[in-house]
Amino acid sequence: MTTSKQSLYRRFLNFLPVITAGSPGAIRIVVLLVANHILMPDEMAVFSSQFTLSSAFVMLCGIGTATVLIKNIAADKKTFTRLLGSLVNVYTYGMLLAVIICVAASLAFHGENLAGMIALTVSLSGYQVARSYFIGIKNFIALFIADVFLATLLLLSLVLILMTKADTSTMVIVLVAASYFIAQALMIASAFMLSRAAGEEIEKPVLVDREYYQSGTLIGLSNLFSSGISFILPSLFLVTAGNEIAVLASLAASFFSIIAVLPRGVVNNHLSSLAEQIRKKSLDRAYMASIKRSLNRIIVLASPIAFIAVFSYAYLADVIAKDYYKSFIFLLLLASNFVIAQLGVLESNIIYFCKKEMLAFLMNMSAFLIVLVSYVICLVFPGFALVDYFIFFVPSILSMFFLVRWHVFRKHISHVFSSQ
């Protein structure tokens, strides 16, 4: 390999954490865009709402477990045993949570295809845990290959639907869930082979691990109440504002999730080091400052591109058919909400390693309650003015809340390490 090729390969490896962090959001966008050309408008509104809603529920069923897994990998070399324990949690406790929240969502949003939604939530959760294993051991090449495999499976599934003309939201959800299950199985097999090659001793995992049920649940709820809000909003808008706003919100949630995940890619690359520093209570502030600079550059560059991409696609694909002005302002407010939330992404990760799960939970639950109360007001007092209130006021108040949360997290992190 020549020197120039080696240099390009090293750059590719250095950028892989960002690519793999953005790939789940990119995959969701591709699925939504292709499905939009397969399904009828009413079916698309149902599918987009259920797909984004399942992505939100993964915050509860999968993200908490995945975060605990990364934290444990940093302190334990028996990585595959830890992965098995995490997967046991997802398919027992996580399955129970998925059933409860999907039934509740079905009742609240007049949903359909409950079994498909549960399957999609569980498959997405298991895939998230498997992804976090490779992040924890910093094997981003294997993670990249798994994401490419998943994207290929999903595209083949959608092409199959197009060829057979089985254009129903139920069929799309079933095949998407199956694709996540198959990709997840490949990742588990790859993890097993890597651990055996490294000579790792595989032990029987702990079947009932209280850390997952306590810390993992708090972390999951915190993520659901913060990042998951953007995925819940489309279902709320479907009920309160109609199909057009709901599809636009689903597209925005998927497009802007790339902005939300790209900074996480930078954080993922340093997550093991940060967890180790915090465990030893020797946080390197200069190291953190350099990470923040990288995060800010990504947010400033990517945000306008994502906004233009969402609005352009919505306009060209006739998603926006009526009030362009209202749709533009609505999308601008959603964009601001997502961007401001990313300003504190580093602190949002560190706060969990500082054992401040309860603080994060209470802060994020407050934001969720704001959205829930607004939704209930719209249901109890239906009317045009209240719909405008919901679609304009909620993103604005959430943006202000995320600024306050960032300040509070920074203050508590400084307090934890003030004695070092």
Side-chain angles (χ1 to χ4, degrees):
M1 188 180 289
T2 64
T3 304
S4 60
K5 287 183 178 179
Q6 287 176 341
S7 178
L8 286 173
Y9 182 67
R10 281 196 297 269
R11 290 182 182 179
F12 173 71
L13 291 180
N14 291 335
F15 199 60
L16 264 183
V18 177
I19 295 174
T20 53
S23 55
I27 288 171
R28 279 196 299 269
I29 289 173
V30 171
V31 171
L32 284 171
L33 295 185
V34 176
N36 191 46
H37 293 283
I38 294 175
L39 300 173
M40 297 298 290
D42 289 345
E43 289 281 348
M44 180 59 194
V46 173
F47 169 71
S48 63
S49 297
Q50 290 194 333
F51 188 34
T52 49
L53 197 60
S54 292
S55 299
F57 293 158
V58 172
M59 303 288 175
L60 176 58
C61 299
I63 295 293
T65 301
T67 303
V68 173
L69 173 61
I70 292 175
K71 184 169 63 174
N72 287 337
I73 285 177
D76 189 351
K77 299 303 179 184
K78 296 174 182 177
T79 57
F80 188 74
T81 301
R82 291 290 191 179
L83 172 61
L84 291 178
S86 301
L87 290 170
V88 167
N89 174 72
V90 163
Y91 284 103
T92 53
Y93 183 58
M95 174 71 83
L96 177 62
L97 286 177
V99 171
I100 293 172
I101 59 181
C102 286
V103 169
S106 180
L107 294 174
F109 308 136
H110 309 291
E112 55 188 53
N113 190 22
L114 181 60
M117 191 185 234
I118 292 171
L120 185 56
T121 301
V122 175
S123 64
L124 277 165
S125 298
Y127 187 75
Q128 180 63 45
V129 170
R131 293 186 90 256
S132 296
Y133 171 79
F134 289 104
I135 291 172
I137 65 173
K138 303 190 78 169
N139 191 333
F140 294 100
I141 294 178
L143 182 56
F144 176 73
I145 293 172
D147 284 340
V148 170
F149 178 75
L150 171 64
T152 304
L153 272 179
L154 287 168
L155 285 176
L156 288 175
S157 298
L158 293 172
V159 168
L160 177 64
I161 292 173
L162 186 61
M163 292 175 62
T164 58
K165 297 183 179 180
D167 51 349
T168 65
S169 60
T170 299
M171 181 61 70
V172 175
I173 286 176
V174 168
L175 287 180
V176 168
S179 298
Y180 276 101
F181 275 122
I182 294 170
Q184 179 189 148
L186 174 68
M187 296 177 77
I188 296 169
S190 300
F192 174 75
M193 288 187 289
L194 287 171
S195 65
R196 297 294 291 179
E200 179 185 326
E201 183 182 350
I202 300 174
E203 299 178 354
K204 183 179 179 182
V206 178
L207 298 181
V208 181
D209 194 331
R210 291 181 60 187
E211 184 178 16
Y212 286 119
Y213 304 140
Q214 295 176 354
S215 181
T217 300
L218 281 177
I219 293 171
L221 283 169
S222 295
N223 277 277
L224 176 63
F225 291 155
S226 56
S227 302
I229 289 177
S230 62
F231 294 107
I232 293 174
L233 284 176
S235 293
L236 302 183
F237 290 134
L238 180 63
V239 176
T240 58
N243 290 351
E244 185 174 309
I245 290 293
V247 173
L248 184 61
S250 292
L251 288 171
S254 294
F255 272 89
F256 286 114
S257 69
I258 291 184
I259 298 178
V261 176
L262 282 174
R264 288 185 185 276
V266 176
V267 176
N268 285 346
N269 195 31
H270 302 279
L271 211 53
S272 296
S273 299
L274 288 169
E276 185 64 20
Q277 288 182 30
I278 293 166
R279 190 174 67 85
K280 295 179 178 178
K281 294 205 170 185
S282 58
L283 194 62
D284 187 338
R285 298 185 185 278
Y287 180 63
M288 278 190 63
S290 67
I291 299 174
K292 289 291 289 185
R293 285 193 295 271
S294 299
L295 295 175
N296 292 338
R297 280 197 297 269
I298 290 174
I299 294 169
V300 169
L301 290 173
S303 301
I305 296 173
F307 174 81
I308 293 170
V310 176
F311 191 79
S312 298
Y313 176 80
Y315 177 80
L316 294 173
D318 291 327
V319 173
I320 306 172
K322 297 177 183 177
D323 197 332
Y324 296 102
Y325 174 75
K326 179 187 291 187
S327 298
F328 180 85
I329 298 298
F330 169 66
L331 190 58
L332 187 63
L333 291 173
L334 281 182
S336 301
N337 180 24
F338 292 135
V339 169
I340 291 172
Q342 295 315 298
L343 292 175
V345 66
L346 182 60
E347 289 80 4
S348 295
N349 278 273
I350 291 176
I351 201 74
Y352 295 126
F353 295 144
C354 295
K355 298 183 179 180
K356 295 286 184 179
E357 295 96 338
M358 184 57 72
L359 171 66
F361 168 72
L362 293 175
M363 289 288 298
N364 294 329
M365 185 176 65
S366 302
F368 184 79
L369 289 176
I370 291 172
V371 175
L372 187 61
V373 169
S374 299
Y375 171 66
V376 172
I377 289 173
C378 287
L379 289 183
V380 176
F381 304 104
F384 180 78
L386 284 175
V387 168
D388 282 352
Y389 155 80
F390 188 71
I391 64 177
F392 292 148
F393 173 77
V394 170
S396 302
I397 198 68
L398 284 176
S399 295
M400 289 187 283
F401 171 82
F402 288 138
L403 282 173
V404 172
R405 185 187 65 177
W406 180 31
H407 173 73
V408 171
F409 283 0
R410 288 181 64 184
K411 182 177 178 181
H412 278 268
I413 291 169
S414 297
H415 178 71
V416 169
F417 295 97
S418 61
S419 59
Q420 67 179 46

